[in-house]
Every structure is written in structure tokens, then in C-alpha cells.
Amino acid sequence: MADTVSSVASGMVVALQANYLEVELDAAPDGCPVRLLCTRRTRLSHRGEAVYVGDRVCVEAIDPGQGRAVVADVEPRHSFLIRPPVANVSLVAVVLAVEQPSFDPDQASRFLLTAERTGLEVILLLTKTDLISAAALESLVARLQGWGYDPLVLSSEAGTGIDALRQRLAGAQLSVLCGPSGVGKSSLLNQLRPDLQLRTAAVSGRLQRGRHTTRHVELFPLGLSARVADTPGFNRPDLPDDPQELGVLFPELRQQLDPWPCRFRDCLHRGEPGCGVSSDWERYALYKAALIELSGLSRPFRGG
Ligand SMILES: Nc1nc2c(ncn2[C@@H]2O[C@H](COP(=O)(O)OP(=O)(O)OP(=O)(O)O)[C@@H](O)[C@H]2O)c(=O)[nH]1
Ligand SMILES: [Mg+2]
Ligand SMILES: [Zn+2]
């Protein structure tokens, strides 16, 4: 009889809860479930190797009866979203509500900057568009276009934009829905895959904040070859540590560097000689405020 307990297989981490990883096998051995509940080999922790949703892993000590195994190794990642942590992402979808909770440009930018740090394609999903007038929506869309994004206009309530979203996500191997709590990330997934019946909860309080309903990152298949990650919302992503890294995370700043690269490579675009970046864009104030925040953390500024 084959010793299935010692067999080895490869797969992908599809969910993470406390100390357990759920791994979906590429090909399950006979009589073994496709999804296994796994712990990590202690030597992985000793080497300081964390394992995240989206990671490709090798599992061993498979116990088909119990549906358990142990993650022994993690393959190198081709991309990584820092927060929420997801490995091997191909598309980052930043989800923002027009209301409930209301649109906050500083918060929105922090999510977009975090997404841009992956170097991957970033899209912006505007949700709950049933809650504002057509004119207000039009002006918000125009504003976001000025930030370099062409937002997808959505409403899970009215069913607006769901087919367009499905098409967009189906073209990416692994996309992540990330954004503040209560903006309707899980609601969007329920629209795309009604069978999922993910838990959602009404926003509450004076600020109409979300209630942190989704607790774990989890991947769900969409169509034949795509997966989408639902993630727990949070309120204030950190800025990158390095002021030099900040500018290129703003698409509307990046666009200005293309025709007019700055004279100095370490230019921070605050009116330095030969700088190719103008001050005539909406988020310039936000960019400068972020630089000041970062300089408090790292090194002092020269000049003003
Ligand atoms: N009016 C309106 N309400 C919506 C829409 N989409 C979601 N909601 C409501 O917004 C609330 C929050 O939705 P969720 O899907 O739980 O939000 P989430 O982003 O997953 O929140 P977390 O899991 O906490 O991060 C729920 O009461 C939804 O019914 C929408 O398009 N229009
Ligand atoms: Mg949710
Ligand atoms: Zn410059």
C-alpha cells in the first residue's frame, strides 16, 4: 500500500487563519481532498520565512483522511502587496466608497500608494454610487481621472458595473480587493459569485464606518483561471519609508517625469533647479505633506 502520509504535493495558499493555512493542491493524490488544512514546518519560522495567501508552496506529511498536511517550503514570489499581505498578485483593485463611509482623499491616496508600491497594475473601484447624484458622481470621476485613474463605477445595490468588473478581474490571474472597512468589498464578491454568500454588515456610527466584518484574507476562483482575494478592511495604510520612493507612486507625477525628467536623480520635486514636475496638480499638497511626514521619520529636509 502506498504510504500517502509521507507524500509530497504542490499547491497555493488560499486562506490564512491564525496558525493554520489552507492550501489548494494543484493535483490531489487519490482519495485526498483538494483543500488541506496545514501548519508550517518549524524550520520555516526559524528561517524567518513567512507564508502568505497567494504563496506557492510544497506540502508534505499529507493525511488524506483528516485533510491535513504541513507546509515545508515556499517558492519565491514574483510580487507582493504589503498590506493586506498577499503574494503573487497580478492586479490590485483599490475599493473606495463614494459615501458610507464618505470619500476621503488622504485615505484614498494611502491605499493607492500602497497598491502602487507593488509595481503592478492598479485599478480603482468606486462603490455605492447609488448613494450620490449623477452630477456628484461625474465630478468625483473627473477628479480621480486627474489623479491618473479611470475608476470603475459600481453599485452592488443596483447591480451597476458588475459585468465590467467581472471582465476586468477575469483577465488577471490573482487580483486583490483592498480598501477601508465597509466600502463593500465582500458585497462586490457576492455580486460576482452569489454562491459565496460572504458575510457583510451595515456601516455604523456618525462617520458611517465599517465594522471589520471580513477577518481573513481569502482567495476565491472567478471563472476558469482567475482568482480574487477578499481582504479585511482597515483605515490608514502607512506611507513608504523612503521619500525617494514616494513620487513615482503618484501616476500624475510619474506622467510628468516622462517628457521632462528632473536634472537631479534624487530630486524630491519641491521646486529644485531643473525639476520637471509642476505644482499644478490636486494631490501636490498631499504629496508634500507626505514628504514632511516621512522626513520626520527619516532624515531632515534640505531647503523648503
Ligand atoms: N447603498 C449601498 N450599500 C452597499 C453597497 N455595497 C455594499 N453596501 C453595504 O455596505 C455595507 C458594508 O458592505 P461590506 O461588503 O460588508 O463591506 P466590506 O468592504 O467587505 O467591509 P469589511 O469586510 O469590514 O472590510 C453592507 O451593509 C452592504 O450592504 C452599494 O453598492 N450600495
Ligand atoms: Mg468584507
Ligand atoms: Zn523633480
Side-chain angles (χ1 to χ4, degrees), residues 128 130 155-157 181-187 200-202 212-214 233:
K128 308 201 186 186
D130 55 287
S155 166
S156 295
E157 190 73 18
S181 178
V183 295
K185 300 178 294 296
S186 303
S187 302
T200 66
H212 300 281
T213 310
T214 303

Side-chain angles (χ1 to χ4, degrees), residues 3-15 20-29 32-41 43-44 47 51-52 55-64 67-75:
D3 182 13
T4 46
V5 174
S6 64
S7 62
V8 170
S10 63
M12 182 190 270
V13 179
V14 293
Y20 289 97
L21 305 158
E22 259 185 69
V23 173
E24 192 179 295
L25 298 181
D26 300 334
C32 180
V34 173
R35 271 194 178 212
L36 301 174
L37 196 61
C38 299
T39 52
R40 304 163 177 80
R41 273 270 176 268
R43 80 182 142 78
L44 276 181
R47 287 199 306 231
V51 187
Y52 297 102
D55 266 326
R56 302 267 328 148
V57 293
C58 176
V59 300
E60 55 188 33
I62 298 170
D63 180 342
R68 303 283 293 255
V70 179
V71 170
D73 246 315
V74 186
E75 290 178 24

Side-chain angles (χ1 to χ4, degrees), residues 222-240:
L222 187 71
L224 286 178
S225 58
R227 294 178 202 256
V228 185
D230 190 16
T231 68
F234 54 101
N235 289 324
R236 208 175 136 86
D238 291 331
L239 297 168

Side-chain angles (χ1 to χ4, degrees), residues 12 15 17 21 49 86 155 204 245 266 274:
M12 182 190 270
Q17 338 203 339
L21 305 158
E49 264 186 76
V86 188
S155 166
S204 68
E245 198 201 331
D266 61 351

